[in-house]
Amino acid sequence: MSDIRLTNEKMLTFTGHEKIGTFKAAEKLTEFGEKQNIANEALAANVNDLIKRVCAIEDRELKDRDIMRKIADELTAFKRDLDRVRLSSKLNNTAIERLDHAIKQLQELSGDSKLEEKPSDT
């Protein structure tokens, strides 16, 4: 922020309605003009400072939006990969269960045939 702090005293350019003589009018008008110029410079400095701050905030907002967009893209890609892994895992588990079931059936069949072979061997 600028070093020039706006106060009511600094912005006061006209101090009152005193009676001004003809010869002092030019002097008072000059004094008023100088005070008005100082007030205008203070206002301009503060407005310029505010403009710089707003521009900085807008730049930061653009950067934040870009970062958030990248994060959203990465999150979407991660979710897609996670769904793919879940599906693969489910398919693999199903395949393993089918193979396990088939092995158990083969063991049962071979166990039954061994039982049938043993009595005929004796």
Side-chain angles (χ1 to χ4, degrees), residues 87-105:
L87 181 61
S88 291
S89 175
K90 185 175 181 179
L91 291 174
N92 287 341
N93 285 341
T94 305
I96 290 170
E97 287 174 5
R98 279 187 277 146
L99 288 172
D100 188 44
H101 182 67
I103 290 171
K104 285 181 182 177
Q105 282 183 341

Side-chain angles (χ1 to χ4, degrees), residues 8 24-26 43 68 73 77 107 111 113 117 120:
N8 288 342
K24 288 191 175 184
L43 281 173
M68 293 303 286
D73 291 346
Q107 286 176 343
S113 63
E117 291 176 9
S120 58

Side-chain angles (χ1 to χ4, degrees), residues 56-121:
I57 290 170
E58 288 173 345
D59 289 344
R60 183 65 191 163
E61 181 186 5
L62 290 174
K63 288 178 185 176
D64 288 347
R65 283 185 183 185
D66 188 44
I67 289 169
M68 293 303 286
R69 184 186 50 77
K70 288 178 183 178
I71 290 171
D73 291 346
E74 288 179 18
L75 183 62
T76 302
F78 176 74
K79 186 177 181 320
R80 193 173 343 163
D81 286 345
L82 184 61
D83 289 343
R84 184 186 51 78
V85 168
R86 282 182 182 157
L87 181 61
S88 291
S89 175
K90 185 175 181 179
L91 291 174
N92 287 341
N93 285 341
T94 305
I96 290 170
E97 287 174 5
R98 279 187 277 146
L99 288 172
D100 188 44
H101 182 67
I103 290 171
K104 285 181 182 177
Q105 282 183 341
L106 285 174
Q107 286 176 343
E108 287 174 6
L109 287 175
S110 65
D112 288 344
S113 63
K114 285 182 183 176
L115 291 175
E116 291 173 6
E117 291 176 9
K118 283 188 180 180
S120 58
D121 286 339

